[in-house]
Amino acid sequence: MEPAPSALDTAGAAVGGSEWIKDHIRDIPDFPKPGVVYKDITPLLSDPRAFAGTVDALAAGVPGGRIDKVVGIEARGFILAAPVALRLGAGFVPVRKTGKLPGAVTSQSYELEYRSDVLEIHTDALEIGERVLIVDDVLATGGTAVATAALIRSLGAEVVGVACVIELAFLGGRGKLGDLDAVALISY
C-alpha cells in the first residue's frame, strides 16, 4: 500500500488519480440495495494523513481564479467542503435536504441513482457574482451536482466547477454537467 502523502506533500500533486486514495476506500456490496457496490470513504476520513492529502488535492484541482464560497452537499460533502474552503480562504455554505435549514430557503428537485429528492440552500447564502466551487464525495449520475449548480445560479452566483473524491464514470454524470469543469481524484 502506497502511503498517503502529508498535507504538504500534496501541494504539487497531480489531480486525477492516486492509488493511496483507492487504498483508503472500501467496497460495501449490496448497499443501499442489492447489486450496488457502495464506495465507502470512511477509512479515508479516519486516517489523518489521507484526509489531509485528499483535502489538499481537492483544493489544488480548483480552476483558476478566486473562490469566494465552497458549497458542500449533504452529508459527506460537508466533511470535505469545509476544510477545502479553509484551504482556499473561502466561506463554506451547506446545501441540505428539505426541512434541514432554518429560515428562508430556495429548493431544487433532482433525480438520484435510486430515488428523487429535493435540495435547499439559504436564500442569503451567496451574493450576486460570487465564485462558487461545489464539493462532494462522489460524482455518480450528476443529478445532485446539477441541482446544486441550479441553486447557486438561482442566487446570482457563478459556479466555477465541481470537485469530488470519486467519479463513478460508468454512470455518465460528467456528461450531465454541461460546461461545468469537474475534477475527480479517482475514477471507477
Side-chain angles (χ1 to χ4, degrees), residues 78 94-106 120-122:
F78 294 174
V95 166
R96 302 213 57 191
K97 299 207 173 129
T98 303
K100 304 279 185 160
L101 291 172
V105 298
T106 187
E120 295 181 335
I121 191 170
H122 280 125

Side-chain angles (χ1 to χ4, degrees), residues 87-111:
R87 290 281 196 282
L88 296 173
F92 167 74
V93 175
V95 166
R96 302 213 57 191
K97 299 207 173 129
T98 303
K100 304 279 185 160
L101 291 172
V105 298
T106 187
S107 303
Q108 179 70 44
S109 61
Y110 67 105
E111 297 297 319

